[in-house]
Amino acid sequence: MNGTRMIVTGTLCGSAAPMSVDIQGGRIASIRPGLAPDALGGADTMISAGWHDIQVNGYAGNDCNAGSWGIVSPRQPDLDALTLDLARHGVALFCPTVITDSSEAMEHSLRRIAVAMASDGPFRRAATGIHLEGPFLSPDDGPRGAHPLEHVRPPCWDEFQRLQEAAIGHIRICTLAPELPGAIDLIERLTASGVVAAIGHTGASPACIRDAVAAGARLSTHIGNGCHAALPRHDSYLWEQLAEDRLTATMIIDGYHLQPAEAKVFVRAKGSERTILISDAVTLGGMPPGLYAEGRFEVKPDGHIVLAGTPYLAGAAALLDACMANAVRWTDLSLTEVIETVTHTPAHLLSAQRKGAVREGYDADLTLFRVPSEGPLDVIATIADGVVVYRRDAPQ
């Protein structure tokens, strides 16, 4: 635990009055009315709990999945550098996400992440658990998304246990397709073991979605994506998940994965309390335009990523600062409600103690920001476990 003391000052989200937050030993020691002189922040600064992204594959050339999908970096992926890049965009906490690959490759990625979670550095303070997205996904085009067909396979509890062992128990979320043989049994076992079972990359019938929820599934992964390009008017797995109040839904509100009208309707269906904004950022996010992985992927001039030569998305590039700003402008959510979707709601989903709120005794995970009239939210500083991970006015 960090033993330093600091004070941050500004307006708490949901409050009209300026406050000062005293941080000691990695925790919020006190919250007092008024602005503190010479403190981090200021009268024009908003303070929220640290933004929490529960699906991050990588960013700016650093990947949680070393060598996956043929993307070979000339340097060893640096998870601390990934953490710092995310912090520049306000992300204090995140779930490193391991995707479909061979068993050996997935176990290697999980071991590397688990070792980093035990080390003393920015990644350890930020990582709240691993999101396993695959390999138990639909093999069909559309629902499978960009996951490699050759490595998609049926759900298997024994394989999951091997992956969890490689992760030293850090897998907290497992996304799978519930229509696959053995999936309902796996959902029951995941739930009994304390892992959040998530529905995603699926072509399931509505009845199968209901069976998955009855078995314990609690989450819909990036709803509206990892699905068929055309869906029936009735009897759709999309409507069933939107209508199911026991399912919280993650959403990528970047203008590509979800466009403004979709985002508005989806948020209205789920409500603010069952919505979690994510980035689903990948290693090519933030990289210069061009072709990558021997021409398989293309980063477009505006930064979005596609399978080269097709209109199909191949991961996300916008981070939470952009997605949150879009949600404020495109949906009925207030700024305070948008903040809840990346703080309280993910913490509640993961049963993360002392996280997700600015309260005395809680972990000092904070994001300081401003709200401009256009563009992403303007991040001033990001704090994790009482440590300033990013400060805009600090020497770079």
Side-chain angles (χ1 to χ4, degrees):
M1 178 179 292
N2 173 49
T4 60
R5 180 183 180 186
M6 77 175 87
I7 298 176
V8 300
T9 196
T11 301
L12 297 184
C13 287
S15 170
M19 299 282 184
S20 294
V21 180
D22 188 356
I23 297 169
Q24 298 183 43
R27 300 274 181 87
I28 297 173
S30 66
I31 302 172
R32 304 188 305 274
L35 296 174
D38 302 321
L40 178 57
D44 61 348
T45 300
M46 303 291 293
I47 303 173
S48 75
W51 302 345
H52 192 172
D53 191 340
I54 65 170
Q55 190 164 352
V56 177
N57 308 276
Y59 190 74
N62 286 304
D63 201 340
C64 299
N65 304 266
S68 289
W69 301 2
I71 300 175
V72 179
S73 173
R75 57 187 172 82
Q76 182 71 15
D78 185 336
L79 296 177
D80 281 339
L82 169 62
T83 303
L84 297 177
D85 281 329
L86 296 175
R88 292 184 182 96
H89 296 266
V91 177
L93 307 170
F94 70 100
C95 291
T97 301
V98 171
I99 56 169
T100 303
D101 207 325
S102 67
S103 294
E104 295 77 13
M106 293 182 75
E107 289 177 19
H108 172 75
S109 294
L110 291 165
R111 289 191 192 97
R112 185 169 64 95
I113 292 169
V115 168
M117 289 179 72
S119 66
D120 185 18
F123 181 75
R124 179 193 62 78
R125 290 188 285 271
T128 54
I130 297 170
H131 185 157
L132 187 71
E133 188 188 20
F136 314 128
L137 308 178
S138 171
D140 296 342
D141 290 344
R144 191 180 72 254
H147 289 251
L149 177 61
E150 64 271 23
H151 294 309
V152 169
R153 44 199 184 269
C156 174
W157 175 244
D158 287 343
E159 179 171 6
F160 175 80
Q161 286 184 300
R162 290 193 296 272
L163 295 172
Q164 183 70 290
E165 182 179 359
I168 317 180
H170 287 303
I171 297 173
R172 302 295 309 280
I173 304 171
C174 178
T175 293
L176 72 160
E179 71 271 24
L180 299 178
I184 299 301
D185 176 68
L186 181 57
I187 290 171
E188 291 175 343
R189 290 173 180 262
L190 291 171
T191 301
S193 68
V195 175
V196 174
I199 298 169
H201 290 279
T202 178
S205 68
C208 185
I209 297 294
R210 292 192 291 270
D211 289 343
V213 173
R218 297 171 52 204
L219 187 69
S220 295
T221 291
H222 50 48
I223 196 162
N225 292 279
C227 61
H228 294 94
L231 295 173
R233 287 178 56 211
H234 308 295
D235 296 327
S236 161
Y237 51 79
L238 179 59
W239 309 141
E240 192 69 32
Q241 291 178 82
L242 288 171
E244 176 51 73
D245 289 342
R246 289 172 290 180
L247 287 173
T248 295
T250 64
M251 303 182 195
I252 312 169
I253 305 184
D254 62 357
Y256 293 99
H257 290 80
L258 291 181
Q259 296 183 351
E262 293 170 294
K264 190 171 189 176
V265 170
F266 286 11
V267 167
R268 282 180 173 177
K270 299 311 293 184
S272 62
E273 69 278 10
R274 292 184 296 274
T275 297
I276 295 177
L277 301 189
I278 60 169
S279 69
D280 196 18
V282 299
T283 185
L284 294 181
M287 297 291 280
L291 295 173
Y292 292 84
E294 299 181 344
R296 183 177 177 187
F297 304 107
E298 182 180 4
V299 177
K300 294 291 190 176
D302 65 357
H304 85 279
I305 306 160
V306 298
L307 292 172
T310 80
Y312 300 122
L313 297 171
L319 296 177
L320 285 187
D321 55 343
C323 294
M324 293 165 66
N326 291 339
V328 170
R329 294 168 189 143
W330 297 348
T331 77
D332 300 325
L333 297 179
S334 67
L335 174 63
T336 298
E337 289 172 326
V338 169
I339 294 297
E340 291 285 293
T341 71
V342 298
T343 56
H344 169 76
T345 309
H348 176 73
L349 177 78
L350 296 174
S351 300
Q353 301 297 313
R354 302 190 310 275
K355 293 188 181 296
V358 183
R359 295 178 188 165
E360 293 181 359
Y362 271 49
D363 292 343
D365 308 313
L366 302 170
T367 302
L368 282 63
F369 66 100
R370 302 187 184 103
V371 184
S373 59
E374 59 183 24
L377 298 182
D378 183 15
V379 176
I380 306 303
T382 304
I383 299 168
D385 192 30
V387 175
V388 177
V389 186
Y390 167 72
R391 180 171 178 169
R392 192 172 62 187
D393 61 3
Q396 300 296 310

